[in-house]
Amino acid sequence: MIFDKVKKFDIVFDSPEIDSPPVFSSGDVVSGKVVLELGGESKIESLKLHAEGFAKVHWTESRSAGSSAAYTQNYSDEVEYLNRREALLQADNGELTVLAAGRHEYPFSFQLPEETLVTSFEGKHGSIRYWVKVKLHRPWCTVRKIKKEFTVIEPIDINTPALLAPQAGTKEKNARVWYRNFGQVCVTAKIDRKGYTPGEVIPVFAEFDNATSRSIVPKAYITQTQTFIARGTMKQKRAVVATLSGDPVGPSRRETWHGRAIKIPPVGPSILQCRIIKVEYTLKVCVEVPGTSKLCLELPLVMGTIPLHPFGSRTSSVSSQYSVNLEWLRMAISEQPEPPPDYSSVVTNEEAVQNAANTNNNSSCPEEDLSEDLSGILGRPLMAYVQEFRFRPPPVYCEVDPNPQPCNMRPRCMTC
């Protein structure tokens, strides 16, 4: 019996979370080490690393060729996304490398392709996988192999004009059973945008117009469609991931949803860049009419990985608020200000005589400099002063004139 001196042979990724598998994107550097622990001195021919990434599909269909004959048709295809080879330990000139007993570590590092990869995926008829495989070659021994997978998630940013655009539609049909017509059903639905991330809530705005003689039941679904393509043939698998039910709508009545919420469960992101595997999402707003088929309105969805920026939804509101501020400025400052009212119209004769006497008694008041330094005012924008004084209260009323006249000016006679 041959004693195997290899006690441990493992791949360890450089990941901050040891228990969870590492996650990468296109252009990231995948690094780690190969741990080799030997129970005694051993001769090694080579230690080779192979990084691979493939999208593969496969399914089988049985077809009938007659009453008793049948044949099976296989469909399969694959797309390569990563293929990198590296020698971690290689003997020179055909000589063997002798390793002492104990622990040996061989670090590795490689960069994923800069071009867009495809998110890892596991489906019924196909998968998208990435892994690192290491082979240990020794003389007179079988090749030892280890393989460890890692996850690739390609970012999908929903903060793009295409994914922020609202989605809406209208659909109608005549409800019929055999030759009898029950009337027409119309569905109109709208959502705020096309791109969402798992965990978000989609507010559904819809209107259900029931012109039939039967009650209808409005519902909304989020569906996932997995599409597998091979040899020009397509295989699909659909699943409902979230459901929203409404109240029945009676005959000749109309029901409106003012933002009914349907929550997105934890699902994988959309896959739209792969040639043979696609993962797509749809919001279906349907009406169930007893005795006939459903009426469904489909609105496309894209499940992203980068959520909506906090300021992304505020862009329009900020711009509209700024325009409102400017409108307020135009309304507050008139083109031709009105002249102030005459002094005699707001002050009685007795008060005017008393004010004139007080002015004559204050003959020793100093001269005031009426010149003002406008350099600081002109150096600041007008909107800053508008905002500074916009929310201040009016000045407190006082009998003392805040702008007294110089002493060398004679008071106006009110009896003239």
Side-chain angles (χ1 to χ4, degrees):
M1 178 179 180
I2 300 178
F3 176 72
D4 194 350
K5 299 180 181 180
V6 178
K7 299 300 181 182
K8 185 177 181 180
F9 189 33
D10 193 13
I11 299 174
V12 180
F13 290 105
D14 293 336
S15 176
E17 299 180 2
I18 301 177
D19 297 335
S20 61
V23 179
F24 303 95
S25 300
S26 58
D28 289 348
V29 176
V30 181
S31 60
K33 58 187 177 183
V34 178
V35 179
L36 179 61
E37 188 174 342
L38 302 176
E41 185 179 88
S42 179
K43 296 181 179 180
I44 307 297
E45 292 182 359
S46 64
L47 184 65
K48 297 181 179 180
L49 179 141
H50 188 193
E52 298 176 297
F54 287 92
K56 298 182 179 181
V57 297
H58 176 78
W59 73 88
T60 302
E61 293 183 1
S62 299
R63 300 181 181 275
S64 175
S67 58
S68 59
Y71 68 95
T72 302
Q73 185 74 32
N74 294 321
Y75 297 89
S76 61
D77 199 354
E78 68 178 36
V79 177
E80 181 183 272
Y81 289 105
L82 177 64
N83 189 352
R84 180 182 176 88
R85 299 176 184 270
E86 180 181 351
L88 303 179
L89 178 62
Q90 183 70 48
D92 297 333
N93 301 324
E95 298 180 358
L96 302 179
T97 301
V98 180
L99 297 180
R103 181 184 176 95
H104 302 270
E105 296 182 355
Y106 300 92
F108 65 87
S109 177
F110 61 91
Q111 186 177 14
L112 296 176
E114 289 288 349
E115 60 267 16
T116 303
L117 297 177
V118 179
T119 300
S120 300
F121 170 76
E122 292 291 333
K124 182 177 181 180
H125 304 293
S127 62
I128 302 173
R129 299 174 181 171
Y130 301 86
W131 63 85
V132 171
K133 183 189 300 182
V134 178
K135 295 182 180 180
L136 176 63
H137 297 265
R138 297 171 295 166
W140 307 104
C141 295
T142 58
V143 179
R144 289 286 296 267
K145 301 178 183 179
I146 53 174
K147 179 180 177 181
K148 183 166 288 189
E149 295 187 9
F150 60 90
T151 303
V152 171
I153 296 181
E154 277 305 289
I156 301 178
D157 190 356
I158 68 172
N159 299 277
T160 59
L163 299 185
L164 292 178
Q167 305 295 307
T170 301
K171 200 170 185 180
E172 57 186 22
K173 69 172 295 185
N174 291 323
R176 296 176 178 175
V177 177
W178 295 100
Y179 58 89
R180 186 177 178 182
N181 187 1
F182 292 101
Q184 191 178 65
V185 180
C186 182
V187 176
T188 302
K190 177 186 176 182
I191 55 178
D192 293 337
R193 46 191 162 94
K194 185 178 181 180
Y196 288 88
T197 53
E200 283 192 281
V201 173
I202 303 177
V204 182
F205 300 87
E207 185 177 87
F208 307 91
D209 190 1
N210 182 17
T212 68
S213 57
R214 294 188 175 187
S215 297
I216 61 175
V217 181
K219 292 185 178 181
Y221 308 91
I222 298 178
T223 62
Q224 181 195 71
T225 303
Q226 302 176 9
T227 304
F228 307 91
I229 304 171
R231 297 172 55 184
T233 304
M234 183 174 62
K235 194 83 169 178
Q236 287 188 331
K237 182 180 182 299
R238 293 182 176 89
V240 176
V241 298
T243 306
L244 172 64
S245 298
D247 299 328
V249 182
S252 302
R253 292 187 175 273
R254 179 179 297 174
E255 176 71 15
T256 303
W257 286 0
H258 299 283
R260 293 286 297 271
I262 180 169
K263 188 174 182 180
I264 304 174
V267 293
S270 299
I271 299 177
L272 307 174
Q273 305 296 332
C274 184
R275 179 175 59 85
I276 60 177
I277 296 178
K278 296 184 183 298
V279 178
E280 300 168 300
Y281 294 88
T282 304
L283 174 65
K284 293 186 177 181
V285 182
C286 303
V287 170
E288 294 184 354
V289 183
T292 184
S293 59
K294 288 183 181 179
L295 170 61
C296 287
L297 173 63
E298 297 185 0
L299 301 178
L301 296 176
V302 173
M303 293 298 165
T305 59
I306 301 177
L308 187 69
H309 294 162
F311 56 84
S313 59
R314 300 179 186 175
T315 304
S316 59
S317 60
V318 170
S319 60
S320 61
Q321 182 180 359
Y322 183 70
S323 63
V324 169
N325 290 340
L326 293 181
E327 187 67 24
W328 172 85
L329 178 62
R330 288 193 292 268
M331 295 176 62
I333 303 177
S334 59
E335 297 180 357
Q336 297 181 355
E338 298 179 358
D342 187 70
Y343 187 77
S344 60
S345 63
V346 295
V347 179
T348 62
N349 293 333
E350 292 78 6
E351 292 176 344
V353 173
Q354 184 179 359
N355 291 338
N358 294 335
T359 305
N360 292 331
N361 293 333
N362 297 333
S363 59
S364 61
C365 60
E367 285 283 331
E368 291 187 4
D369 186 8
L370 298 180
S371 62
E372 296 180 358
D373 184 10
L374 300 179
S375 60
I377 296 179
L378 296 177
R380 295 175 61 185
L382 177 61
M383 283 298 295
Y385 283 94
V386 172
Q387 296 297 334
E388 180 179 355
F389 294 100
R390 181 179 180 184
F391 300 106
R392 289 192 176 186
V396 180
Y397 174 76
C398 182
E399 293 290 344
V400 181
D401 188 3
N403 300 310
Q405 297 178 352
C407 297
N408 57 357
M409 296 181 63
R410 296 181 61 185
R412 179 182 176 184
C413 181
M414 304 306 300
T415 58
C416 300

